[in-house]
Protein backbone atom coordinates (compact mmCIF):
# COMPACT_ATOMS: atom_id res chain seq x y z
CA UNK A 1 0.00 0.00 0.00
CA UNK A 2 1.35 3.42 -0.97
CA UNK A 3 0.86 5.88 1.89
CA UNK A 4 1.14 9.68 1.61
CA UNK A 5 1.70 12.32 4.31
CA UNK A 6 0.94 16.01 3.94
CA UNK A 7 3.42 18.32 5.65
CA UNK A 8 2.29 21.93 5.20
CA UNK A 9 1.59 25.29 6.82
CA UNK A 10 -2.01 25.95 7.87
CA UNK A 11 -3.77 29.31 8.20
CA UNK A 12 -5.33 29.68 11.65
CA UNK A 13 -9.15 29.89 11.48
CA UNK A 14 -9.19 29.79 7.68
CA UNK A 15 -10.77 26.41 6.95
CA UNK A 16 -11.42 27.26 3.30
CA UNK A 17 -7.73 27.86 2.59
CA UNK A 18 -6.65 24.81 4.60
CA UNK A 19 -9.16 22.49 2.95
CA UNK A 20 -7.93 23.71 -0.43
CA UNK A 21 -4.40 22.66 0.56
CA UNK A 22 -5.69 19.23 1.58
CA UNK A 23 -7.67 18.93 -1.66
CA UNK A 24 -4.61 19.70 -3.79
CA UNK A 25 -2.50 17.23 -1.81
CA UNK A 26 -5.18 14.54 -2.11
CA UNK A 27 -5.30 15.09 -5.88
CA UNK A 28 -1.51 14.75 -6.18
CA UNK A 29 -1.29 11.78 -3.82
CA UNK A 30 -4.09 9.95 -5.64
CA UNK A 31 -2.46 10.59 -9.00
CA UNK A 32 0.74 9.07 -7.62
CA UNK A 33 -1.15 5.92 -6.62
CA UNK A 34 -1.42 6.51 -2.86
CA UNK A 35 -4.33 4.82 -1.09
CA UNK A 36 -4.40 7.11 1.96
CA UNK A 37 -3.31 10.66 2.79
CA UNK A 38 -2.50 11.56 6.42
CA UNK A 39 -2.74 15.26 7.35
CA UNK A 40 -1.46 17.09 10.47
CA UNK A 41 -3.22 17.71 13.78
CA UNK A 42 -6.05 20.28 13.59
CA UNK A 43 -4.86 21.24 10.10
CA UNK A 44 -8.28 22.24 8.69
CA UNK A 45 -8.63 24.97 11.35
CA UNK A 46 -4.93 25.61 12.06
CA UNK A 47 -3.05 24.67 15.20
CA UNK A 48 -3.70 27.43 17.74
CA UNK A 49 -5.69 25.83 20.57
CA UNK A 50 -6.83 28.94 22.45
CA UNK A 51 -7.73 30.86 19.28
CA UNK A 52 -9.54 27.88 17.80
CA UNK A 53 -11.56 27.34 20.99
CA UNK A 54 -12.46 31.03 21.19
CA UNK A 55 -13.06 31.71 17.51
CA UNK A 56 -14.38 28.53 15.87
CA UNK A 57 -18.15 28.29 15.46
CA UNK A 58 -19.13 24.72 16.49
CA UNK A 59 -21.82 24.78 13.79
CA UNK A 60 -18.99 24.70 11.22
CA UNK A 61 -17.71 21.29 12.35
CA UNK A 62 -20.32 19.14 10.53
CA UNK A 63 -19.72 21.24 7.40
CA UNK A 64 -15.97 20.58 7.64
CA UNK A 65 -16.47 16.85 8.12
CA UNK A 66 -18.60 16.75 4.98
CA UNK A 67 -16.13 18.91 3.03
CA UNK A 68 -13.26 16.58 3.96
CA UNK A 69 -15.28 13.46 3.16
CA UNK A 70 -16.04 15.01 -0.22
CA UNK A 71 -12.32 15.60 -0.82
CA UNK A 72 -11.74 11.89 -0.25
CA UNK A 73 -14.61 10.93 -2.59
CA UNK A 74 -13.66 13.26 -5.42
CA UNK A 75 -10.01 12.23 -5.33
CA UNK A 76 -10.63 8.51 -4.72
CA UNK A 77 -8.26 8.43 -1.76
CA UNK A 78 -8.75 7.63 1.92
CA UNK A 79 -8.03 10.57 4.20
CA UNK A 80 -6.96 11.11 7.81
CA UNK A 81 -7.85 14.54 9.18
CA UNK A 82 -8.00 16.11 12.65
CA UNK A 83 -10.63 18.50 13.99
CA UNK A 84 -12.03 19.60 17.33
CA UNK A 85 -15.05 17.63 18.49
CA UNK A 86 -17.63 18.43 21.14
CA UNK A 87 -18.90 15.68 23.41
CA UNK A 88 -22.53 15.36 24.51
CA UNK A 89 -21.40 16.86 27.84
CA UNK A 90 -20.08 19.93 26.02
CA UNK A 91 -16.36 19.17 26.35
CA UNK A 92 -14.08 20.12 23.46
CA UNK A 93 -11.58 17.42 22.45
CA UNK A 94 -8.99 17.02 19.70
CA UNK A 95 -10.03 14.23 17.35
CA UNK A 96 -8.85 12.38 14.27
CA UNK A 97 -10.97 10.67 11.63
CA UNK A 98 -10.13 8.16 8.91
CA UNK A 99 -12.54 8.24 5.95
CA UNK A 100 -12.45 5.80 3.06
CA UNK A 101 -12.41 6.59 -0.65
CA UNK A 102 -16.22 6.85 -0.67
CA UNK A 103 -16.16 9.37 2.18
CA UNK A 104 -17.51 6.93 4.77
CA UNK A 105 -16.01 7.13 8.25
CA UNK A 106 -13.93 4.08 9.17
CA UNK A 107 -12.28 5.15 12.41
CA UNK A 108 -12.32 8.01 14.89
CA UNK A 109 -10.17 8.77 17.91
CA UNK A 110 -9.93 11.40 20.65
CA UNK A 111 -6.58 12.66 21.93
CA UNK A 112 -5.80 11.22 25.37
CA UNK A 113 -2.61 13.12 26.29
CA UNK A 114 -2.83 16.91 25.95
CA UNK A 115 0.44 18.80 25.58
CA UNK A 116 1.19 22.12 27.24
CA UNK A 117 -0.92 24.87 28.82
CA UNK A 118 -2.60 26.00 25.60
CA UNK A 119 -4.06 22.58 24.79
CA UNK A 120 -5.10 22.03 28.39
CA UNK A 121 -6.82 25.43 28.51
CA UNK A 122 -8.77 24.78 25.31
CA UNK A 123 -9.51 21.05 25.34
CA UNK A 124 -10.42 18.11 27.57
CA UNK A 125 -8.49 14.83 27.28
CA UNK A 126 -10.36 11.87 25.81
CA UNK A 127 -10.24 8.43 27.38
CA UNK A 128 -10.93 5.89 24.63
CA UNK A 129 -8.54 3.11 23.73
CA UNK A 130 -7.24 3.28 20.14
CA UNK A 131 -9.62 1.23 18.00
CA UNK A 132 -8.47 -0.95 15.09
CA UNK A 133 -10.04 -1.29 11.65
CA UNK A 134 -9.02 -3.48 8.71
CA UNK A 135 -8.00 -0.95 6.10
CA UNK A 136 -6.85 -2.08 2.64
CA UNK A 137 -5.63 -5.36 4.10
CA UNK A 138 -3.76 -3.86 7.07
CA UNK A 139 -5.13 -3.63 10.65
CA UNK A 140 -4.93 0.11 11.26
CA UNK A 141 -5.28 2.43 14.26
CA UNK A 142 -4.72 6.10 15.14
CA UNK A 143 -3.35 8.25 17.93
CA UNK A 144 -2.64 12.00 17.93
CA UNK A 145 0.67 13.81 18.42
CA UNK A 146 1.74 13.66 22.10
CA UNK A 147 -0.08 10.31 22.51
CA UNK A 148 2.59 8.55 20.47
CA UNK A 149 5.26 9.64 22.96
CA UNK A 150 3.71 7.32 25.55
CA UNK A 151 4.59 3.65 25.01
CA UNK A 152 1.29 2.59 26.59
CA UNK A 153 -0.78 4.26 23.85
CA UNK A 154 1.10 2.64 20.98
CA UNK A 155 1.25 -0.72 22.75
CA UNK A 156 -2.52 -0.61 23.34
CA UNK A 157 -3.07 -0.17 19.60
CA UNK A 158 -0.63 -2.98 18.79
CA UNK A 159 -2.10 -5.30 21.42
CA UNK A 160 -5.49 -4.63 19.81
CA UNK A 161 -4.10 -5.97 16.54
CA UNK A 162 -2.89 -2.79 14.82
CA UNK A 163 -0.02 -3.10 12.34
CA UNK A 164 -0.26 0.45 10.97
CA UNK A 165 -0.57 3.55 13.18
CA UNK A 166 -1.61 6.87 11.61
CA UNK A 167 -0.58 9.95 13.63
CA UNK A 168 -1.61 13.55 12.88
CA UNK A 169 0.72 15.79 14.88
CA UNK A 170 1.71 19.38 15.63
CA UNK A 171 5.31 19.24 16.80
CA UNK A 172 7.22 22.45 17.46
CA UNK A 173 10.75 23.21 16.35
CA UNK A 174 13.41 21.95 18.75
CA UNK A 175 11.94 18.51 19.38
CA UNK A 176 13.90 16.74 16.64
CA UNK A 177 14.46 13.62 18.73
CA UNK A 178 10.75 12.81 18.71
CA UNK A 179 10.50 11.83 15.02
CA UNK A 180 14.11 10.75 14.64
CA UNK A 181 14.53 8.65 17.80
CA UNK A 182 11.31 8.19 19.77
CA UNK A 183 9.06 7.39 16.80
CA UNK A 184 11.47 4.77 15.55
CA UNK A 185 11.65 3.20 19.00
CA UNK A 186 7.84 3.12 19.22
CA UNK A 187 7.61 1.45 15.82
CA UNK A 188 10.27 -1.11 16.76
CA UNK A 189 9.05 -2.01 20.25
CA UNK A 190 5.43 -2.52 19.15
CA UNK A 191 6.35 -3.70 15.65
CA UNK A 192 4.00 -1.35 13.80
CA UNK A 193 4.46 1.00 10.88
CA UNK A 194 3.98 4.58 12.12
CA UNK A 195 3.04 7.45 9.80
CA UNK A 196 3.59 10.81 11.54
CA UNK A 197 2.35 13.93 9.71
CA UNK A 198 3.44 17.34 11.04
CA UNK A 199 2.89 21.02 10.26
CA UNK A 200 5.64 23.19 8.81
CA UNK A 201 6.26 26.93 9.04
CA UNK A 202 4.82 29.31 11.63
CA UNK A 203 1.24 29.37 12.92
CA UNK A 204 0.17 31.72 15.70
CA UNK A 205 3.82 32.36 16.68
CA UNK A 206 4.63 28.63 16.91
CA UNK A 207 7.44 27.50 14.63
CA UNK A 208 6.86 23.89 13.63
CA UNK A 209 9.59 21.34 13.11
CA UNK A 210 8.30 19.65 9.98
CA UNK A 211 10.28 16.42 10.09
CA UNK A 212 7.35 14.15 9.25
CA UNK A 213 8.37 10.49 9.13
CA UNK A 214 7.16 7.03 8.21
CA UNK A 215 8.88 4.34 10.29
CA UNK A 216 8.64 0.61 9.64
CA UNK A 217 8.04 -2.12 12.24
CA UNK A 218 11.78 -2.78 12.39
CA UNK A 219 12.40 0.82 13.46
CA UNK A 220 13.93 1.90 10.15
CA UNK A 221 12.77 5.05 8.41
CA UNK A 222 10.83 4.47 5.21
CA UNK A 223 10.60 8.21 4.48
CA UNK A 224 11.51 11.48 6.22
CA UNK A 225 10.80 15.14 5.46
CA UNK A 226 12.80 18.28 6.16
CA UNK A 227 11.31 21.54 7.47
CA UNK A 228 9.63 22.73 4.26
CA UNK A 229 6.16 21.81 2.99
CA UNK A 230 6.26 18.39 1.37
CA UNK A 231 4.12 15.52 0.20
CA UNK A 232 5.86 12.43 1.58
CA UNK A 233 5.36 8.90 0.24
CA UNK A 234 6.27 5.40 1.41
CA UNK A 235 5.27 1.91 0.38
CA UNK A 236 3.88 -0.05 3.34
CA UNK A 237 4.43 -3.80 3.13
CA UNK A 238 1.29 -5.49 4.50
CA UNK A 239 3.36 -8.46 5.73
CA UNK A 240 6.13 -6.47 7.43
CA UNK A 241 4.64 -6.35 10.93
CA UNK A 242 3.82 -10.06 10.92
CA UNK A 243 7.38 -10.91 9.85
CA UNK A 244 8.89 -8.81 12.65
CA UNK A 245 6.50 -10.27 15.25
CA UNK A 246 7.44 -13.79 14.20
CA UNK A 247 11.17 -13.08 14.41
CA UNK A 248 11.01 -11.37 17.83
CA UNK A 249 7.62 -11.95 19.49
CA UNK A 250 7.49 -8.91 21.78
CA UNK A 251 3.69 -8.81 21.88
CA UNK A 252 3.24 -12.54 22.48
CA UNK A 253 5.83 -12.61 25.26
CA UNK A 254 4.56 -9.65 27.27
CA UNK A 255 3.60 -10.31 30.92
CA UNK A 256 0.89 -7.69 31.59
CA UNK A 257 -0.32 -9.30 34.84
CA UNK A 258 3.20 -9.07 36.24
CA UNK A 259 3.54 -5.45 35.11
CA UNK A 260 0.29 -4.55 36.89
CA UNK A 261 1.66 -6.07 40.10
CA UNK A 262 4.73 -3.86 39.74
CA UNK A 263 2.53 -0.77 39.54
CA UNK A 264 0.69 -1.84 42.68
Amino acid sequence: MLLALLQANAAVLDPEANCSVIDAAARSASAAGAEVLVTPELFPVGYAPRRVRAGLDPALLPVLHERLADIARRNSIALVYSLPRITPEGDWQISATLVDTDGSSLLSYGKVHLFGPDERAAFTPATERPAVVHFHGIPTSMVICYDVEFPEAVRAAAAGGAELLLVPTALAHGFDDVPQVLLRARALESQVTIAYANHSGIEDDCRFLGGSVIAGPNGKLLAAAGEAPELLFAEVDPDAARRERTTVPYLAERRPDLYRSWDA
Side-chain angles (χ1 to χ4, degrees), residues 10-237:
V12 176
L13 292 174
D14 192 346
E16 184 60 36
N18 299 331
C19 284
S20 294
V21 171
I22 294 173
D23 197 359
R27 190 178 314 116
S28 297
S30 180
E35 296 181 52
V36 61
L37 172 67
V38 185
T39 66
E41 182 181 12
L42 293 179
F43 190 88
V45 295
Y47 183 85
R50 292 178 192 263
R51 284 184 61 193
V52 167
R53 176 64 187 271
L56 181 67
D57 181 357
L60 186 59
L61 291 173
V63 177
L64 285 173
H65 280 288
E66 180 51 40
R67 171 75 190 277
L68 291 156
D70 183 60
I71 288 172
R73 279 192 296 269
R74 286 189 293 99
N75 293 289
S76 298
I77 189 169
L79 179 66
V80 174
Y81 63 85
S82 171
L83 283 171
R85 72 178 181 191
I86 303 174
T87 70
E89 295 74 31
D91 293 326
W92 285 56
Q93 298 177 338
I94 300 174
S95 74
T97 301
L98 167 64
V99 295
D100 210 346
T101 54
D102 61 359
S104 61
S105 178
L106 297 177
L107 195 61
S108 63
Y109 173 79
K111 188 174 185 179
V112 171
H113 302 91
L114 300 180
F115 181 81
D118 287 348
E119 281 194 12
R120 296 189 187 105
F123 297 105
T124 299
T127 59
E128 68 241 54
R129 177 179 179 144
V132 179
V133 65
H134 281 268
F135 173 70
H136 294 240
I138 302 178
T140 298
S141 188
M142 295 188 297
V143 298
I144 301 172
C145 196
Y146 194 38
D147 287 331
V148 82
E149 298 182 38
F150 292 81
E152 296 86 352
V154 179
R155 183 54 58 85
E163 297 176 4
L164 172 62
L165 191 65
L166 307 174
V167 189
T169 194
L171 185 71
H173 197 270
F175 291 94
D176 307 57
D177 285 346
V178 173
Q180 290 296 322
V181 178
L182 188 147
L183 259 293
R184 297 176 67 178
R186 289 290 167 273
L188 174 62
E189 71 193 5
S190 285
Q191 296 167 314
V192 294
T193 297
I194 299 181
Y196 184 81
N198 195 21
H199 295 248
S200 65
I202 296 174
E203 298 169 31
D204 199 40
D205 298 326
C206 178
R207 180 184 173 193
F208 289 97
L209 174 68
S212 300
V213 297
I214 304 169
N218 58 2
K220 294 182 180 179
L221 290 181
L222 303 177
E227 281 195 43
E230 185 173 346
L231 194 56
L232 196 65
F233 293 92
E235 189 70 41
V236 177
D237 180 350

